[in-house]
């Protein structure tokens, strides 16, 4: 029962943060959505910051599950990296909380929103770096530095998913893979 109450509060908080961002959400909003009193929230979470951290922990767990589900397959490394990144980018692009936090960062620069987006990016980069290192260890990738390779691939994907789509027709998953295979991956792949 207690676990359900805590989870219910986190779900309500996720909803509130998705609608109003970190800055615009209050414990009163969360209590109203969760159908509990404000005091109940304070029995589970010390403050709004701790509640926000718990919501972000759940979001990162979802991202980890998404990465793990793709990276567990032992297919061609480049195709696997692409599938993982594409899935994560689509998740990031379509996830209401991340969209709201990104907007809040751009408009207000709220410290907590900046930290949350940085935490998501750091998770993606470190997970991608580990995948690149595994590909290199298996002799499937030729890289000089896994961290630089992961950063380069991630930022280029971000550019195509975010910047490209502001002015051009979005690329399909296959078109995006073809662009990266032809322009990036063939440069690091061992044939």
């Amino acid at each position: 029962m207690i676990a359900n109450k805590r989870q219910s509060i986190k779900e309500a908080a996720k909803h509130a943060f998705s609608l109003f961002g970190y800055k615009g959400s209050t414990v009163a909003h969360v209590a109203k959505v969760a159908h509990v009193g404000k005091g109940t929230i304070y029995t589970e979470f010390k403050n709004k910051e701790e509640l926000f951290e718990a919501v972000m922990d759940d979001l990162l767990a979802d991202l980890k599950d998404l990465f793990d589900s793709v990276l567990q397959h032992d297919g061609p490394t480049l195709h696997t990296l692409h599938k993982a990144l594409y899935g994560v980018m689509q998740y990031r692009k379509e996830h209401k909380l991340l969209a709201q936090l990104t907007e809040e960062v751009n408009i207000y620069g709220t410290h907590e929103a900046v930290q949350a987006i940085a935490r998501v990016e750091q998770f993606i980069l470190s997970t991608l770096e580990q995948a690149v290192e595994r590909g290199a260890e298996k002799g499937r990738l030729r890289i000089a530095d896994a961290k630089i390779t992961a950063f380069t691939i991630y930022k280029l994907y971000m550019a195509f998913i975010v910047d490209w789509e502001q002015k051009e027709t979005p690329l399909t998953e296959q078109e995006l893979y073809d662009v990266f295979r032809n322009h990036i991956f063939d440069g690091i792949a061992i044939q």
Side-chain angles (χ1 to χ4, degrees):
M1 184 77 168
I2 292 173
N4 287 340
K5 177 173 63 171
R6 185 173 179 84
Q7 189 59 36
S8 176
I9 291 169
K10 286 194 299 183
E11 286 299 318
K14 177 181 166 187
H15 181 72
F17 292 133
S18 294
L19 289 175
F20 308 113
Y22 178 84
K23 182 178 177 83
S25 295
T26 65
V27 172
H29 286 134
V30 175
K32 185 174 183 175
V33 173
H35 304 291
V36 298
K38 279 177 35 177
T40 301
I41 292 177
Y42 289 117
T43 64
E44 296 293 324
F45 300 95
K46 186 169 52 175
N47 51 35
K48 180 171 111 172
E49 293 79 13
E50 186 177 289
L51 178 56
F52 184 62
E53 282 295 314
V55 169
M56 291 307 298
D57 288 346
D58 287 353
L59 186 143
L60 289 174
D62 289 346
L63 278 176
K64 182 180 181 339
D65 290 345
L66 196 154
F67 255 118
D68 289 348
S69 70
V70 174
L71 295 177
Q72 73 182 353
H73 298 94
D74 196 34
T77 299
L78 298 176
H79 184 70
T80 303
L81 286 174
H82 165 72
K83 287 296 241 183
L85 266 173
Y86 189 80
V88 167
M89 292 301 153
Q90 291 305 106
Y91 177 89
R92 184 174 176 173
K93 182 178 160 187
E94 296 167 4
H95 196 280
K96 290 177 183 172
L97 175 57
L98 289 175
Q100 182 65 24
L101 291 174
T102 300
E103 185 175 334
E104 185 171 330
V105 166
N106 292 334
I107 294 172
Y108 302 110
T110 308
H111 175 74
E112 291 81 3
V114 169
Q115 292 299 107
I117 294 298
R119 190 172 165 205
V120 169
E121 287 205 351
Q122 183 53 48
F123 172 80
I124 293 169
L125 284 168
S126 65
T127 304
L128 183 57
E129 180 182 347
Q130 292 168 15
V132 167
E133 285 172 343
R134 279 194 302 276
E137 288 167 3
K138 291 179 179 182
R140 296 179 177 175
L141 297 176
R142 179 181 58 241
I143 60 167
D145 184 300
K147 189 173 196 163
I148 290 171
T149 302
F151 179 84
T152 301
I153 293 171
Y154 173 69
K155 289 301 183 174
L156 288 172
Y157 264 85
M158 284 294 290
F160 272 100
I161 299 294
V162 178
D163 299 335
W164 175 269
E165 292 183 7
Q166 289 177 357
K167 297 179 184 171
E168 303 292 339
T169 303
L171 299 175
T172 66
E173 182 179 358
Q174 184 61 48
E175 288 171 330
L176 186 59
Y177 178 73
D178 290 342
V179 166
F180 278 81
R181 188 190 70 233
N182 293 331
H183 299 284
I184 304 298
F185 293 157
D186 285 346
I188 63 172
I190 296 175
Q191 302 303 332

